[in-house]
């Protein structure tokens, strides 16, 4: 076995982190793109169309909302369970839409499938916002659902409906739905102007509702939304995020004024780290279903790139502080990387922002200075590609973390529908606890949830491929949604 002195070992590890393992590997990004979108068909709730391609999935939850006289059929299950959490669903929709708006021209024929995936969500959100004064924010009791391991087609758990109103506000969920509708309006505008206009009109209405009746859904619905999708960063970021998307969709100065007048408030928010410790002023480095701050700075910089060319602008400053917090060689890096080079925090969402901001740097012809480290546009693209390639197989285990992609991928993902026999294979109902034997089985899932990207490896690049290890083996819509845009870009820029 070869041995290296300590300083050389550290250098080699750093180079692995910077360049990624398996540099010579060549991936079929077009295939991965198609599969990353196909995953959303496996997450569909409601009456499935004749065009459904994942045929092992069937109709489910066909009476959602009916007990209160509202049609709330449709939408997506967020992960491996059967609850419709509208907060992460709306963020996933916003990121799918941003993927099309930013990178749709690189998608080829898959752009139509991406638009179908967006529309499955936006049709549902139109239902959720159809009654003035109310926004439906969740369907399904998570405690009842998580007590069972059953197919969505057999669901007999509580389908409780939760709504926001002026008396019980949910500004973060309402504003994220507004962002989803506004961004989707942009995605559909070139192909379906009537639908785009309908989405935009509703987005403006819901934003006004979210802003007029301010409050967190933690306070009104905390027992049912926490700890599942509790809001830890406040609702101000979602309001600004929605206003930014409304500005992009309408070009009305009032929305940009809203962004600029309120964005400084985000610095006051306390952000909890992985140890649960609150840190003020770190919000610029956060982006995911809960915290939109880094996304706001990148999105606004992207819109105003022709007039913003200096890091003295606070929006640009914070966008570039974010980049420096992610760049492995930066002296201010705050993101954790595994020895094999995987960013362990919201990998696809962070990488999407790097790629989007690289386009800002290209247009203004400028680099970023992280202390004495210079980050070019090409460096940001390379880092984003490293993360995508890690997911597809450039990692110490030489496995793909996308189900159905490559020769080696997760076989026992934490997902009810995938792990239980399909209705075609087992027509009798599988009751609440009858699925437990399948959950505990060591055999691979009988149904491939093609395109699903799991939570991924542990901090040492290990992966146990266990349903019980849901932190690492559960797929989610908000992992896949940003990946769609990344794969679209690398499909055309391999």
């Amino acid at each position: 076995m070869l041995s290296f002195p300590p300083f050389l070992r550290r250098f080699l590890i750093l180079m692995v982190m910077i360049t990624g393992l398996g540099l010579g590997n060549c991936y079929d990004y077009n295939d991965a793109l198609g599969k990353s979108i196909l995953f959303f068909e496996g997450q569909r709730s409601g009456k499935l169309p004749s065009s459904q391609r994942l045929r092992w999935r069937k109709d489910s939850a066909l009476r959602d909302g009916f007990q209160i006289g509202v049609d709330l059929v449709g939408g997506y299950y967020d992960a491996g369970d059967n609850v419709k959490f509208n907060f992460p669903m709306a963020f996933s929709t916003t990121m799918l839409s941003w993927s099309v708006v930013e990178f749709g021209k690189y998608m080829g024929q898959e752009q139509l499938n991406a638009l179908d995936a967006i529309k499955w969500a936006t049709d549902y959100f139109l239902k959720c916002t159809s009654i003035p004064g109310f926004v439906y924010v969740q369907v399904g009791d998570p405690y009842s659902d998580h007590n069972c391991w059953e197919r969505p087609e057999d669901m007999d758990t509580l389908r409780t409906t939760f709504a926001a109103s002026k008396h019980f506000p949910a500004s973060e969920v309402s504003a994220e739905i507004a962002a989803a509708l506004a961004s989707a309006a942009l995605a559909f505008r070139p192909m379906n102007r009537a639908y785009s206009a309908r989405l935009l009109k509703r987005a403006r209405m819901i934003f006004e509702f979210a802003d007029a009746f301010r409050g967190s859904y933690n306070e009104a619905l905390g027992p049912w939304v926490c700890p599942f999708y509790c809001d830890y960063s406040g609702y101000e970021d979602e309001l600004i995020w929605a206003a930014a998307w409304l500005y992009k969709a309408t070009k009305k100065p009032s929305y940009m004024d809203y962004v600029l007048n309120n964005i400084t408030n985000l610095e006051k928010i306390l952000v909890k780290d992985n140890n649960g410790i609150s840190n003020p002023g770190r919000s610029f480095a956060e982006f995911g279903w809960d915290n939109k701050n880094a996304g706001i700075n990148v999105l606004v910089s992207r819109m105003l790139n022709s007039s913003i060319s200096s890091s003295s602008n606070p929006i640009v400053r914070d966008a570039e502080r974010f980049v420096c917090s992610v760049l492995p060689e930066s002296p201010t890096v705050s993101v954790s990387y595994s020895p094999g080079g995987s960013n362990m925090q919201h990998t696809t969402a962070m990488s999407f922002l790097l790629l989007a901001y690289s386009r800002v740097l290209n247009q203004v012809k400028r680099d970023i200075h992280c202390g004495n480290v210079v980050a070019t546009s090409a460096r940001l693209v390379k880092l984003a590609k490293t993360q995508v390639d890690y997911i597809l197989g450039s990692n110490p285990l030489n496995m793909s973390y996308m189900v159905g992609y490559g020769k080696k991928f997760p076989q026992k993902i934490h997902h009810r529908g995938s792990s239980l026999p399909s209705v075609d294979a087992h027509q009798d109902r599988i009751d609440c606890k009858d699925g437990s034997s399948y959950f505990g089985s060591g055999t691979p899932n009988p149904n491939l949830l093609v395109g699903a990207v799991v939570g991924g490896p542990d901090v040492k690049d290990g992966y146990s491929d266990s349903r019980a290890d849901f932190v690492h083996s559960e797929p989610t819509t908000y992992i896949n949604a940003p990946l769609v845009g990344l794969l679209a870009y690398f499909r055309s820029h391999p």
Side-chain angles (χ1 to χ4, degrees), residues 14 28-29 34 69 82 87 150 166 208-209 245 286 319 351 376 405 431 453 456 469 493:
L14 177 62
D28 187 341
Y29 298 109
N82 300 325
F87 193 18
E150 61 184 351
K166 65 180 181 180
E208 291 174 7
F209 171 84
W245 277 109
E286 302 291 327
S351 298
T376 64
Y405 181 87
D431 291 327
V453 178
D469 185 13
H493 303 77

Side-chain angles (χ1 to χ4, degrees), residues 13 55 86 91 99 114 118 204 224-227 246 282 288 295 299 307 331 341 378 386 396 409 444 447 449:
I13 290 173
R55 306 298 290 185
N86 288 6
F91 173 70
S99 293
I118 295 168
R204 297 179 68 177
W224 297 279
V225 303
C226 294
L246 282 164
R282 292 298 302 169
L299 175 64
S307 59
T386 296
F409 51 82
N447 310 306
L449 186 59

Side-chain angles (χ1 to χ4, degrees), residues 78-79 85-95 172-173 175-177 216-218 225-235 237-238 241 286-293 295 345-350 476-479 481-482:
D78 73 296
F85 294 100
N86 288 6
F87 193 18
M89 191 196 308
F91 173 70
S92 300
T93 307
T94 305
M95 293 309 298
E172 60 275 269
V173 188
E176 188 62 58
I177 290 174
S216 173
Y217 85 151
N218 292 359
V225 303
C226 294
F228 310 99
Y229 288 103
C230 199
D231 181 13
Y232 295 101
S233 66
Y235 55 78
D237 55 323
E238 278 79 28
W241 174 244
E286 302 291 327
F287 187 57
W289 61 263
D290 177 27
N291 194 317
K292 312 306 184 308
N293 298 352
Q345 301 173 28
H346 302 292
T347 304
T348 57
M350 297 286 203
T476 67
T477 56
Y478 45 88
I479 292 175

Side-chain angles (χ1 to χ4, degrees), residues 152-289:
E153 293 83 0
D154 292 335
M155 230 185 326
D156 54 6
T157 53
L158 297 174
R159 299 302 290 172
T160 312
T161 302
F162 301 91
S165 67
K166 65 180 181 180
H167 300 296
F168 300 98
S171 292
E172 60 275 269
V173 188
S174 302
E176 188 62 58
I177 290 174
L181 295 171
S183 57
L186 282 166
F188 278 100
R189 187 171 289 168
M191 298 183 183
N192 191 336
R193 296 191 72 85
Y195 187 65
S196 171
R198 183 185 177 198
L199 295 177
L200 187 55
K201 181 179 180 180
R202 189 65 59 84
R204 297 179 68 177
M205 182 184 81
I206 300 307
F207 173 73
E208 291 174 7
F209 171 84
D211 191 39
F213 306 108
R214 291 186 168 208
S216 173
Y217 85 151
N218 292 359
E219 298 170 13
L221 301 173
W224 297 279
V225 303
C226 294
F228 310 99
Y229 288 103
C230 199
D231 181 13
Y232 295 101
S233 66
Y235 55 78
E236 292 87 351
D237 55 323
E238 278 79 28
L239 287 169
I240 298 169
W241 174 244
W245 277 109
L246 282 164
Y247 174 76
K248 187 171 178 64
T250 66
K251 295 297 185 286
K252 289 187 177 295
S254 60
Y255 290 119
M256 183 53 68
D257 290 343
Y258 187 99
V259 172
L260 299 178
N261 291 336
N262 290 280
I263 199 165
T264 55
N265 295 334
L266 299 183
E267 282 296 311
K268 304 172 186 176
I269 296 172
L270 296 177
V271 177
K272 291 184 178 179
D273 62 19
N274 293 336
N275 297 317
I277 300 173
S278 295
N279 297 291
R282 292 298 302 169
S283 58
F284 67 87
E286 302 291 327
F287 187 57
W289 61 263

Side-chain angles (χ1 to χ4, degrees), residues 46-84:
K47 180 71 176 177
L48 302 186
S50 59
S51 59
Q52 174 79 10
R53 293 176 293 169
L54 282 183
R55 306 298 290 185
W56 56 267
R57 276 299 324 282
K58 307 295 180 184
D59 301 344
S60 63
L62 296 181
R63 295 188 59 80
D64 279 357
F66 280 34
Q67 69 271 32
I68 58 169
V70 182
D71 177 6
L72 296 178
V73 175
Y76 289 110
Y77 305 119
D78 73 296
D81 53 21
N82 300 325
V83 182
K84 295 190 298 198

